[in-house]
Amino acid sequence: MTERDPSPRQVGAGEQRDWREQTSPGLSPVGGGASPAGTGGHGYPGTGENYYTTPSYPTEPVAVRGPDSLGGLLCLLAGIAAAVSLALSWLRDPGDIGWDLVVRGFDELGSGFGTLVDSGFWQPLAVVLGGGVLLLLGLLMWLPARTHRLLGVLALFVSLLALAAVLVPLASEGWDPGAFRLGFWFACAVGVLGLLGALKAMLTGRRYARR
């Protein structure tokens, strides 16, 4: 009989392993060894890490951008209150409305800043122009940003000036509310609402979220 080549079933387990290693250079046999890069398995962990505790994405919090809705709304309301006061009377005696007082303030300003201060018409100018600035700052607070503290600081200075402009006439009238009409109380609301909006923007820090 002629000698036949051994069939694959007759080859021993050791010979099969040698055959796989020769035909697949650089690859570990199936069922053993670490998974190399590019085979879809886990990569090699670092010191103190393992395959199951090391996340594949960063988890540290990052600052996010967003509007300051409440602070912006309060400053917007302050600007609206200043606009409403232009159409109403400020003083108990009938006569000039807020718009007339502002016009007279600009007339006094044309004669010099000292004349404006001595006449007392700086007060309606401070309230109405301050309300316009607060309206602009309120719109900017609605824009996304990491923090609105700078806008809050600016709104604080404007609000304090508007408050001073209404406290001076109140003090000169002996804190008698009957000496003023509705337009003056809208002028008071300019400083109060602006102050609240400024404090909200200043005290709100950065917002953080996880990736």
Side-chain angles (χ1 to χ4, degrees):
M1 295 179 63
T2 60
E3 184 178 357
R4 297 180 179 178
D5 293 334
S7 65
R9 294 181 180 179
Q10 295 176 338
V11 178
E15 296 182 54
Q16 290 182 359
R17 189 181 300 111
D18 294 340
W19 177 79
R20 286 199 303 267
E21 292 178 356
Q22 291 176 4
T23 56
S24 302
L27 298 177
S28 300
V30 177
S35 176
T39 60
H42 292 285
Y44 297 100
T47 305
E49 300 175 347
N50 55 58
Y51 294 126
Y52 305 102
T53 61
T54 305
S56 59
Y57 53 87
T59 59
E60 68 275 5
V62 294
V64 296
R65 301 169 64 89
D68 191 339
S69 303
L70 181 57
L73 177 62
L74 291 170
C75 289
L76 287 176
L77 291 177
I80 294 174
V84 173
S85 70
L86 291 174
L88 301 174
S89 297
W90 288 35
L91 304 176
R92 177 175 52 191
D93 299 332
D96 296 338
I97 61 175
W99 176 259
D100 298 327
L101 297 176
V102 171
V103 172
R104 292 183 62 181
F106 278 112
D107 292 339
E108 296 294 339
L109 181 61
S111 300
F113 185 76
T115 304
L116 174 65
V117 174
D118 294 337
S119 66
F121 283 100
W122 67 272
Q123 299 157 12
L125 279 183
V127 171
V128 174
L129 296 181
V133 174
L134 290 173
L135 180 67
L136 177 60
L137 293 176
L139 291 175
L140 293 177
M141 289 180 187
W142 280 83
L143 298 178
R146 290 186 175 90
T147 179
H148 295 84
R149 286 178 176 173
L150 178 58
L151 297 177
V153 172
L154 296 176
L156 177 64
F157 284 112
V158 175
S159 302
L160 291 178
L161 180 61
L163 283 175
V166 295
L167 291 177
V168 170
L170 268 175
S172 64
E173 294 292 337
W175 305 99
D176 180 16
F180 304 96
R181 302 187 71 176
L182 185 59
F184 180 80
W185 302 115
F186 272 95
C188 293
V190 174
V192 174
L193 292 172
L195 179 62
L196 294 176
L199 293 177
K200 171 60 174 61
M202 291 173 58
L203 298 178
T204 302
R206 291 188 174 185
R207 305 171 183 83
Y208 291 91
R210 294 187 179 276
R211 293 181 179 178

